[in-house]
Amino acid sequence: MNQLTRDVIVLEHGQALPFEVVSPPRKPQWQDTFAYIANPDQFCRINQERYGPIFKTGVFGGTTVFVGSSRAIQMVFNGDSSYTEIGLPPTTMEMFGEYSLFQRPDLHRQRKSALRPAFTGHMLASYLPRIHQVIGHHLQRWDATAPVGLVPAVDAVCFDVLAPLLLGIELKDEAFAGLPIGSKWELKRLYKTFFDGFYGLLKWNTPLTTFGRGQAGTIAPDRIHAGSHPTPSGSGGTIRLNSRFFVDDVSRSAA
């Protein structure tokens, strides 16, 4: 296979580089991971200015090639497993779990079909009133006379919009009555701990590492659905604070 663009050429395994074609510049360095985590934007900008849009790094172990060219990015996302494959850090793959779409490509089509009804035009339109309400509520709390921390502010908006949709629970204290997680803030702390685990540097399952704490966070949601509790819609059933609730609910709607 030879798929050539102005920026990148794809070679068969073991095929020698054609004349005048060079591998990405820069040698991976042991401190790359720390530099990237400390300031991802600065890390990418400095190396792009020095080496161009495609360069090698040692981010997250091994050799990681950063791609900043639009043509090369298009090739990466259009690979369809013919010349690309998913390669994520071991900690990230472990946090996704053995049944994630990254670990089980055979489930991708099935889950994609199950989720499709939730993203039709009609369903997306039905989300808008809630999104507008949540955004308006948060905007009223922002201090117009002082700088606003954009990342935490947007993070708070996204959590309040997505959590009820994905988890099937309203973020009100009464909705948590009788559950091991007693409030919205406790739930948010749990999910932050969980998702921080995806970016752990070492696959050490100990409370001393972000990965270990994230792994501990995967246990708590499984305890929450022990027992019955009415759903916010009043249809009855069990509130399960994990994303499987959303997939199951959409699958039933599509049936």
Side-chain angles (χ1 to χ4, degrees), residues 49-228:
E49 291 175 0
R50 183 174 301 175
Y51 300 103
I54 304 176
F55 53 88
K56 294 178 183 177
T57 75
V59 170
F60 297 122
T63 300
T64 302
V65 178
F66 276 60
V67 179
S69 159
S70 59
R71 288 177 176 267
I73 291 173
Q74 184 178 15
M75 288 189 67
V76 169
F77 282 103
N78 289 339
D80 296 329
S81 298
S82 57
Y83 56 85
T84 59
E85 61 182 13
I86 295 172
L88 296 171
T91 52
T92 303
M93 296 298 284
E94 183 73 18
M95 290 297 299
F96 272 124
E98 60 179 315
Y99 293 105
S100 74
L101 302 186
F102 290 104
Q103 308 259 35
R104 294 280 304 278
D106 56 304
L107 294 177
H108 185 269
R109 186 179 300 274
Q110 174 188 344
R111 297 291 172 85
K112 184 178 179 180
S113 298
L115 292 172
R116 187 177 292 116
F119 296 97
T120 61
H122 173 72
M123 289 299 295
L124 291 175
S126 71
Y127 303 149
L128 291 178
R130 179 178 182 85
I131 293 174
H132 289 162
Q133 180 185 13
V134 171
I135 292 177
H137 174 71
H138 280 268
L139 288 176
Q140 291 177 3
R141 298 168 56 187
W142 290 5
D143 185 357
T145 63
V148 175
L150 186 60
V151 171
V154 172
D155 177 70
V157 171
C158 292
F159 183 85
D160 285 357
V161 168
L162 294 175
L165 296 175
L166 298 177
L167 306 179
I169 181 174
E170 290 295 333
L171 300 178
K172 300 177 181 179
D173 289 343
E174 54 267 27
F176 293 89
L179 299 178
I181 293 181
S183 68
K184 163 188 170 180
W185 308 111
E186 189 176 348
L187 174 65
K188 190 171 183 179
R189 286 196 300 270
L190 172 65
Y191 268 76
K192 183 179 186 307
T193 299
F194 171 69
F195 284 109
D196 282 349
F198 282 76
Y199 302 98
L201 297 180
L202 301 173
K203 195 177 175 181
W204 290 350
N205 196 350
T206 167
L208 299 177
T209 65
T210 55
F211 171 76
R213 292 189 291 271
Q215 281 286 296
T218 65
I219 300 173
D222 294 333
R223 301 199 316 264
I224 294 174
H225 60 78
S228 180

